[in-house]
Amino acid sequence: MESLLVLHAVAAVCAPWLVRRASLAVLALPPAAAFLATVLGLPARETRTWAPSIGLELAFRVDALAVLMMSLVTGVGALVMIYSARYFPRGDDGLGRYGVFMSAFAGSMLGLVTADNLLLLYVFWELTTVCSYLLIGYDPESRPSRQAALKALGVTTSGGLAMLAGFVLLGQAAGTYRISDIVAHPPHVSPVAIVLILVGALSKSAIFPFSTWLPAAMAAPTPVSAYLHAAAMVKAGVYLLARLGPALGDVAPWRAVAVPLGVVTMLLGGWRALRETDLKRLLAYGTVGQLGLLTVLFGSGDGGAALAGAAMLLAHALFKAALFLVVGIVDHMAGTRDLRELSGVGRSMPWVCGVAVLAGASMLGLPPLAGFAGKEAALEALMDTPLALGGVVAGSALTVAYTLRFLWGAFWDKPGVAARETRRAPAAMFGPAALLSVLGLALAPFAPWYGHELSGYIGTFRDKGHVTHLVLWGGFSLPLLLSAMSAAAGVALFLAREPVARAGAALHVFDSGQIFWSLVRRLDRFAIQLTGFVQRGSVPDYLTLTLLAVIGVGVFSLVSGGPPRLDVPVVAWQRPEQPVVALLIVASAALALFARAYILLGVVVGLIGYGTALLFLVHGSPDLALTQFLAETVSLVVFALVLRRLPIGPIRGRLPFWFRMGLGLAVAVVVTGAGMLAMGARTAQPIGALMGAAAEQAGARNIVSALIVDIRAWDTMGESTVLVVLTLGVTSLVFLRRRSYHIEPGPPLPAEGTRWLSATLPRGQRALAFEVAARLTFHTVLVLSVFLLFIGHSAVGGGFAGGIVAGMAITVRYLAGGRNELAVAVPVHAGVLMGIGLTLSTGTALAGLLFGRAALDMLATDMTVPLLGHLHLSTGLLFDLGVYVSVAGMVQDILRGLGAELDRQIDAEESA
């Protein structure tokens, strides 16, 4: 299973190159390979430990329900990719990113339907949400596309967060997050958890009141609608109901919420489809209605309804995906999908019309098609619930009506409307639609076999429900009579289509889209008001509130828990150097209280940082000391760059001195007391004594380096990612009003020289000695940084320290020559460096999985090389190299934003 997911990930990464060199059809190979693997058989279970302390594992399960969903996701996905190759014009600028997002979505959906862990399922769930957002907003210049993408993202992400909370409650109640274990031993779970899970499932499948996003998503290209909104993504919520139904289906909130909302959705969706004139939106509302039917079946929580739901799940994916693809053909070949402008298309495209009629007949529930077998089973399963049965019969009548409306609108001759000229549909577009439509006919005779294969899944339901038979023809029965009645009512509604459409328009009082955007605007206004109240643009205010909160936590702890027990031995010092360094730090802190200029304050605070580094060094931690020294130096440079935009003159604190002094002392007491309390509360044996053996096992002689790149590699990767995102955020604010984010060298410099920090030095002044020294030492310092990178596993150094040293070399070049020198020194974009660094770190994390081990499990080998002797090689070096490149890229990005861009702004202001 993991190999199939990796295959889709590789396809997504390589998609832009593959699309340029070949065609989108090449990207059909990964889902086709996954479909073939599904048909041939996959292991029933695959499990790999990921983060066992929080119950997260790579656990996959391939049972009958998973095989059904995998077949739909991979089979329809491959056909849609082939269809897309001719749907989009060659040379379309968006083809590369379309291939990336579609491949990523297919892989995410594949992971979602096979995940056997609630937390892992949630990860894939949100990945499908993100990919859907990007695919719906395929055309970034189209406002409807952007709005539809935002609406889909907002609704499904909100539901997903609620679902995550429900998953946590369910996992804690069950004592495990393994789905198969929860189904086998259903826990006693609170109704709140059930409702939260249902919110996520219903929002994903566009069930009322979350239906508004799906019709709006028709702004996406037609292949996206055929795949995501007919066969894959909208089925995710229904799949979740099917997967957890055996465990939670007999709990009161499950049925009480899912079944009524499903009936309401089926009726509202079908009724709205009767007055739509856009063929895609007509199918979209029909999809909403039939998702309501699936929700009724799986929400009933019994085996009979679930069997009918599984049959309808397959039939719906086949006929609805085929019909969406047909709409794309009609739109491309006739130039419109407005049924008021289409006439005579059935005569000019008879084969396409035949495909649509066959798929529509399955949607109508006519024999001998898969839709008929599924609908008969659904009516039979609901015999014991008259209200739900009546709602489904009424919804089936609406389905018949809007299906006939679709076929009439797309292909029939209309009086007073000129026949539409069409072109012949390419085979790559016609073939997938025809195959899906024919499968609805070819698979129908296998209905009994299909029901037998699902018996294992159906047997997991504690409530067996009404006895349901999945057959192509069950004789003359009450379900057949109800089908005939609904068909007759549907035909009558179609024949009265004009009055029905007018009645629907007259009864249309509330527009869900307007309500949604009204709520969004109100939320925006509230957020702006709240932000204006809380964030007043005053850093002292923010800092004061933060420190007061720290004091508040300390006071609350004292009041609620009583006086603390600080049983920690306190010594004056351990080495004679410590009091000297401490005195330096205290003197610097005292001097900071009386500093009246920003530059002096920056230097004094830097002295405090250097003093802290000396304390680390005295205490026997050279790695920490080196990192602190380097980080403090870079911080000083950044502070100096920012100072160019701040007043140079003396400053005076807005808050009284006594208040600031008292606040500082109170925070000091709370923080020191918390540290002492934490040390005194230790009950377990400190793990420091075990670090040496752990480092030796990792093949390192430097314990700190082993901690960073091996033992706590998760932390390092997370921190690197956070730092990269933070850097991009800060520098993006500087470039807020620009379209170009590249370093722009200044104008050709006069012969008399360059300017260093041109905002502070007079024009024409040149620091020649500094320029020469910077150029002479640049490559030497880079070599030193690489040396620190390589010796990190055995001595003081590492990727972080090496990256900062490389960043300092770049900084010196910039300080000597300004943005001209920066552009020459580092011709590679900072974003590229940070991306390469994160890719190296993440790739190393996944390397362990490829070799059958855990994620971030570093691979190592020892070898003897002539002349060099014994070498210890480890993927930890690649991980550290990723950190090195990321840090160097971050420093360059800071110089690009706070240095080069501010230079450009200052020059522009001086020239104005």
Side-chain angles (χ1 to χ4, degrees):
M1 192 61 231
E2 293 173 7
S3 58
L4 295 179
L5 297 178
V6 171
L7 178 62
H8 282 80
V10 171
V13 172
C14 300
W17 182 83
L18 291 173
V19 170
R20 285 196 304 269
R21 295 293 187 274
S23 167
L24 275 174
V26 177
L27 296 178
L29 293 177
F35 178 79
L36 182 63
T38 302
V39 173
L40 296 178
L42 289 167
R45 294 179 184 273
E46 288 184 20
T47 305
R48 189 183 302 277
T49 301
W50 185 271
S53 60
I54 61 172
L56 181 59
E57 56 186 356
L58 294 180
F60 300 97
R61 178 188 181 197
V62 182
D63 62 351
L65 180 62
V67 168
L68 167 61
M69 292 299 299
M70 290 174 67
S71 301
L72 295 178
V73 169
T74 57
V76 177
L79 293 176
V80 168
M81 276 298 190
I82 295 172
Y83 179 95
S84 301
R86 291 303 304 272
Y87 179 85
F88 293 101
R90 285 188 174 274
D92 191 322
D93 294 337
L95 284 183
R97 66 174 183 271
Y98 174 83
V100 172
F101 302 149
M102 282 291 277
S103 298
F105 175 84
S108 302
M109 196 67 199
L110 189 62
L112 188 154
V113 300
T114 55
D116 195 28
N117 182 281
L118 291 174
L119 300 180
L120 182 63
L121 187 149
Y122 174 75
V123 170
F124 286 117
W125 185 282
E126 291 305 324
L127 285 175
T128 61
T129 297
V130 173
C131 293
S132 170
Y133 166 75
L134 296 170
L135 286 167
I136 295 172
Y138 170 78
D139 183 2
E141 297 181 0
S142 169
R143 185 179 181 186
S145 294
R146 297 196 305 269
Q147 288 184 334
L150 182 60
K151 181 184 291 187
L153 181 69
V155 173
T156 55
T157 301
S158 301
L161 290 175
M163 184 188 71
L164 176 61
F167 279 174
V168 172
L169 292 175
L170 176 60
Q172 292 301 311
T176 178
Y177 287 94
R178 183 75 67 89
I179 298 175
S180 54
D181 292 344
I182 293 174
V183 171
H185 307 286
H188 295 288
V189 63
S190 69
V192 174
I194 300 293
V195 172
L196 290 173
I197 292 172
L198 286 175
V199 168
L202 300 181
S203 64
K204 195 78 164 183
S205 288
I207 302 302
F208 180 84
F210 308 109
S211 307
T212 181
W213 71 265
L214 182 54
M218 294 304 104
T222 299
V224 174
S225 301
Y227 189 33
L228 274 68
H229 306 137
M233 176 181 164
V234 293
K235 296 293 197 306
V238 172
Y239 166 78
L240 185 62
L241 295 178
R243 178 57 75 195
L244 296 181
L248 308 177
D250 57 350
V251 181
W254 186 271
R255 292 174 178 169
V257 173
V259 174
L261 290 181
V263 171
V264 170
T265 303
M266 188 177 186
L267 296 175
L268 291 179
W271 177 253
R272 179 60 189 268
L274 294 179
R275 61 186 182 88
E276 283 297 329
T277 57
D278 185 303
L279 293 177
K280 269 186 74 175
R281 287 181 62 85
L282 190 156
L283 289 180
Y285 280 107
T287 300
V288 169
Q290 287 169 326
L291 288 171
L293 171 61
L294 292 171
T295 300
V296 170
L297 295 174
F298 287 115
S300 296
D302 61 70
L307 177 61
M312 281 302 303
L313 194 66
L314 174 61
H316 178 264
L318 294 177
F319 64 66
K320 192 54 67 73
L323 290 173
F324 269 114
L325 296 181
V326 166
V327 170
I329 295 174
V330 172
D331 191 13
H332 263 48
M333 301 303 113
T336 182
R337 58 175 190 250
D338 190 331
L339 59 82
R340 295 168 298 185
E341 300 176 8
L342 292 169
S343 181
V345 176
R347 284 186 287 102
S348 58
M349 292 195 297
W351 288 101
V352 175
C353 179
V355 169
V357 169
L358 187 60
S362 185
M363 186 161 67
L364 286 169
L366 298 181
L369 295 161
F372 172 77
K375 188 173 75 169
E376 294 298 296
L379 295 174
E380 184 179 13
L382 297 174
M383 283 297 174
D384 296 337
T385 53
L387 292 178
L389 179 63
V392 169
V393 171
S396 298
L398 294 173
T399 301
V400 172
Y402 68 68
T403 303
L404 294 175
R405 177 178 171 81
F406 172 85
L407 296 174
W408 166 80
F411 299 103
W412 259 239
D413 291 327
K414 301 182 183 66
V417 180
R420 197 79 180 183
E421 294 184 3
T422 62
R423 294 176 288 116
R424 184 177 179 180
M429 295 180 70
F430 174 77
L435 179 58
L436 290 170
S437 183
V438 170
L439 283 175
L441 174 65
L443 295 180
F446 297 95
W449 171 85
Y450 181 71
H452 175 73
E453 291 297 313
L454 286 169
S455 59
Y457 162 67
I458 302 303
T460 60
F461 283 85
R462 289 175 287 182
D463 183 358
K464 303 306 177 184
H466 191 279
V467 178
T468 304
H469 304 89
L470 193 58
V471 294
L472 183 58
W473 177 254
F476 293 98
S477 59
L478 182 57
L480 183 63
L481 176 61
L482 294 175
S483 290
M485 292 172 57
S486 65
V491 171
L493 285 172
F494 167 70
L495 294 177
R497 54 186 174 274
E498 296 300 332
V500 168
R502 288 194 298 269
L507 294 174
H508 184 62
V509 179
F510 301 105
D511 189 315
S512 59
Q514 292 180 357
I515 294 174
F516 174 82
W517 290 115
S518 175
L519 291 175
V520 170
R521 286 192 295 270
R522 291 175 184 272
L523 182 62
D524 284 343
R525 284 197 295 268
F526 173 75
I528 292 171
Q529 292 171 355
L530 182 62
T531 302
F533 177 76
V534 176
Q535 298 186 7
R536 299 180 176 275
S538 172
V539 176
D541 286 351
Y542 301 155
L543 187 59
T544 301
L545 290 174
T546 303
L547 297 180
L548 287 174
V550 172
I551 297 172
V553 171
V555 172
F556 175 79
S557 301
L558 286 175
V559 173
S560 60
R565 297 178 57 186
L566 304 177
D567 299 331
V568 179
V570 179
V571 297
W573 58 76
Q574 294 174 320
R575 298 183 59 174
E577 301 95 331
Q578 289 175 330
V580 177
V581 177
L583 184 62
L584 172 63
I585 295 175
V586 171
S588 300
L591 183 59
L593 295 176
F594 301 98
R596 290 293 178 265
Y598 284 121
I599 187 63
L600 176 59
L601 186 60
V603 172
V604 170
V605 172
L607 288 176
I608 297 174
Y610 287 130
T612 305
L614 287 175
L615 276 182
F616 291 152
L617 184 62
V618 170
H619 202 68
S621 302
D623 279 278
L624 293 178
L626 176 62
T627 304
Q628 178 69 21
F629 270 118
L630 296 174
E632 197 64 45
T633 302
V634 173
S635 299
L636 274 175
V637 173
V638 172
F639 193 76
L641 294 175
V642 174
L643 276 180
R644 294 180 296 165
R645 284 298 198 183
L646 295 177
I648 300 178
I651 58 174
R652 182 175 298 276
R654 186 163 54 87
L655 298 173
F657 176 80
W658 62 267
F659 176 81
R660 288 183 281 128
M661 177 63 74
L663 185 64
L665 290 175
V667 170
V669 170
V670 171
V671 172
T672 304
M676 296 176 67
L677 184 63
M679 293 175 63
R682 182 191 296 274
T683 57
Q685 184 72 19
I687 63 173
L690 306 176
M691 291 298 179
E696 184 177 354
Q697 183 180 1
R701 286 177 289 178
N702 184 339
I703 295 178
V704 175
S705 179
L707 275 172
I708 293 174
V709 302
D710 197 300
I711 301 172
R712 299 186 65 89
W714 274 115
D715 291 345
T716 304
M717 191 169 73
E719 290 163 3
S720 300
T721 305
V722 170
L723 285 175
V724 167
V725 173
L726 180 63
T727 303
L728 291 173
V730 171
T731 55
S732 296
L733 292 176
V734 179
F735 287 97
L736 190 60
R737 298 184 181 276
R738 296 188 59 203
R739 291 183 177 271
S740 173
Y741 300 98
H742 296 281
I743 299 172
E744 294 183 1
L749 295 169
E752 59 266 19
T754 65
R755 289 173 287 149
W756 171 60
L757 287 180
S758 57
T760 56
L761 291 182
R763 291 182 177 273
Q765 202 172 65
R766 180 171 182 174
L768 182 59
F770 190 25
E771 286 187 47
V772 173
R775 284 178 173 267
L776 289 177
T777 59
F778 178 69
H779 298 92
T780 304
V781 177
L782 287 182
V783 171
L784 174 62
S785 70
V786 175
F787 173 74
L788 290 174
L789 165 68
F790 277 94
I791 68 168
H793 246 48
S794 57
V796 177
F800 190 79
I804 294 182
V805 170
M808 290 179 63
I810 300 170
T811 302
V812 171
R813 284 287 296 269
Y814 164 71
L815 294 177
R819 66 182 190 271
N820 298 277
E821 198 74 6
L822 179 60
V824 173
V826 191
V828 182
H829 195 284
V832 174
L833 290 178
M834 289 185 282
I836 292 174
L838 287 180
T839 302
L840 283 172
S841 299
T842 308
T844 307
L846 298 177
L849 294 177
L850 297 178
F851 288 90
R853 303 170 70 173
L856 280 174
D857 192 354
M858 300 301 172
L859 308 177
T861 184
D862 292 278
M863 58 187 302
T864 302
V865 179
L867 301 179
L868 296 179
H870 177 266
L871 288 179
H872 176 80
L873 301 178
S874 169
T875 54
L877 179 60
L878 289 178
F879 185 88
D880 226 8
L881 178 61
V883 176
Y884 172 93
V885 176
S886 296
V887 172
M890 283 187 280
V891 175
Q892 185 204 353
D893 202 33
I894 291 172
L895 294 174
R896 183 179 64 104
L898 301 179
E901 173 61 12
L902 288 186
D903 286 345
R904 189 196 65 80
Q905 293 178 6
I906 292 170
D907 287 346
E909 291 173 2
E910 291 178 353
S911 301

